[in-house]
Amino acid sequence: MSSASTFTTKDYLSALGVIAIWGTNFVAMKFGLQDFTPLQLGAGRYMAAALTLLLLIRPPAIPWQWVVLYGLCQGLGQFGLLFLALKVGMTASLASVLMQTQVFFTALFGLVLLQEKLARHQRYSLGLGGLALTCFGLGILAGSSVGVTWAGLALNLAAAAMWAASNIVARQAQQACKPGQSLDPVAFVVWSSALPILPFMLLSWQLDPPLSWAHLAQVSWLSWASVLYLGWFATVIAYALWTGLLKRHPANQVAPLSLGVPVVGLAAGAFALQEVITAWQWAGILLTLLALLVNFRPGILPKAAP
């Protein structure tokens, strides 16, 4: 497979939608964790995402192992670890930055597992993205290290690696389709979202305090709205758009799209959580925009010497 392909107007709009939704969903997670444990929030997220749509959408026409593997990597792995990170010691702003290390994990996994070579402009884009993430991290840590622990940092990076793994699974699921068939992103996301529900519930039953009706009655409307937002928008809509992009383009070309998420995440944190954007963070925003420009407009780079 070629290491690069052309994005259409539909692809660009899908990318912008994903960036906007995922950039704001870290704030929603923080709100939800005010009333729910990480495991309860995980179960609620995927119940909202899957149970309302399973009866309306047919299962995807692919081998079931890909549905199961994607559901466990993206659901229990990525978000189970991320919710735990946010609970034990991670800010919403820093989480939005650290999750973008999935770009580097995806490039590595794609190179090793799918033999997706990195084009010259993609290497430049990833390098700029790495500088941007460094600026974001330095800015947030220098501004306030309160609420960030080593456990939270490790769990957040593990969640990013699981996101990268789910990207590779989505690419393989498309390749597993029979000749003449194509992967339905919505069906794939909805049915894979049913997989994490039972593991989240069982883990919550074993590890969390009992969930009583009295507690549920006291849950704020903001926490309930967060669960619905995480289920319907951040899972079904955003991941359907993301999976659609992965279906049409190499994983190492799609993954850098998420570099726009910290830009929205920082803005959402400043608005909803009154977080201040520092000079380091502004530098990261500019580097992120430049990385995206290089990734999608490689012609702006000087030609390599023959």
Side-chain angles (χ1 to χ4, degrees):
M1 173 177 284
S2 172
S3 61
S5 56
T6 302
F7 269 56
T8 65
T9 300
K10 177 182 176 182
D11 292 331
Y12 284 119
L13 291 175
S14 296
L16 288 175
V18 170
I19 289 170
I21 293 171
W22 282 348
T24 55
N25 92 139
F26 293 95
V27 172
M29 292 175 197
K30 276 293 190 181
F31 286 142
L33 288 169
Q34 292 177 357
D35 289 305
F36 297 108
T37 69
L39 296 172
Q40 291 167 353
L41 186 60
R45 174 186 183 131
Y46 286 99
M47 288 176 69
L51 297 186
T52 55
L53 296 173
L54 285 178
L55 298 178
L56 302 176
I57 297 178
R58 293 181 178 179
I62 58 172
W64 269 97
Q65 64 263 30
W66 298 113
V67 179
V68 172
L69 191 56
Y70 185 84
L72 294 178
C73 288
Q74 186 264 345
L76 192 63
Q78 178 184 340
F79 286 102
L81 292 170
L82 178 57
F83 291 165
L84 285 172
L86 290 167
K87 190 69 173 181
V88 304
M90 181 55 57
T91 63
S93 295
L94 185 55
S96 73
V97 175
L98 291 175
M99 285 304 294
Q100 307 326 309
T101 59
Q102 66 87 15
V103 173
F104 309 110
F105 286 118
T106 299
L108 177 62
F109 294 164
L111 178 65
V112 174
L113 300 176
L114 304 182
Q115 289 75 54
E116 293 182 348
K117 304 297 183 181
L118 292 175
R120 174 172 169 263
H121 71 277
Q122 290 172 327
R123 294 194 296 270
Y124 276 108
S125 178
L126 290 176
L128 289 168
L131 291 176
L133 293 178
T134 300
C135 289
F136 283 135
L138 288 175
I140 295 172
L141 291 175
S144 174
S145 59
V146 176
V148 178
T149 66
W150 285 111
L153 182 64
L155 287 166
N156 209 149
L157 291 174
M162 293 305 296
W163 182 1
S166 71
N167 290 339
I168 301 302
V169 172
R171 289 290 295 163
Q172 292 293 84
Q174 167 60 26
Q175 296 175 9
C177 291
K178 297 179 180 179
Q181 291 183 334
S182 179
L183 179 66
D184 183 343
V186 175
F188 184 62
V189 170
V190 168
W191 281 85
S192 65
S193 293
L195 270 300
I197 295 175
L198 184 57
F200 270 127
M201 292 180 68
L202 290 175
L203 287 171
S204 178
W205 178 60
Q206 288 289 326
L207 302 175
D208 290 337
L211 186 62
S212 66
W213 288 108
H215 173 76
L216 291 175
Q218 295 175 354
V219 173
S220 69
W221 69 267
L222 190 57
S223 292
W224 287 120
S226 297
V227 171
L228 295 179
Y229 182 81
L230 292 172
W232 294 344
F233 287 88
T235 302
V236 175
I237 295 176
Y239 272 96
L241 294 174
W242 183 259
T243 304
L245 290 170
L246 287 167
K247 181 181 78 171
R248 296 186 291 274
H249 305 283
N252 60 22
Q253 187 178 3
V254 174
L257 289 171
S258 70
L259 291 171
V261 172
V263 179
V264 178
L266 287 168
F271 177 77
L273 304 176
Q274 289 75 54
E275 296 175 350
V276 177
I277 299 179
T278 66
W280 277 112
Q281 292 165 351
W282 281 119
I285 289 173
L286 294 176
L287 284 169
T288 297
L289 295 177
L290 181 58
L292 291 171
L293 182 62
V294 169
N295 189 70
F296 292 106
R297 289 288 183 267
I300 69 172
L301 292 173
K303 293 184 178 180

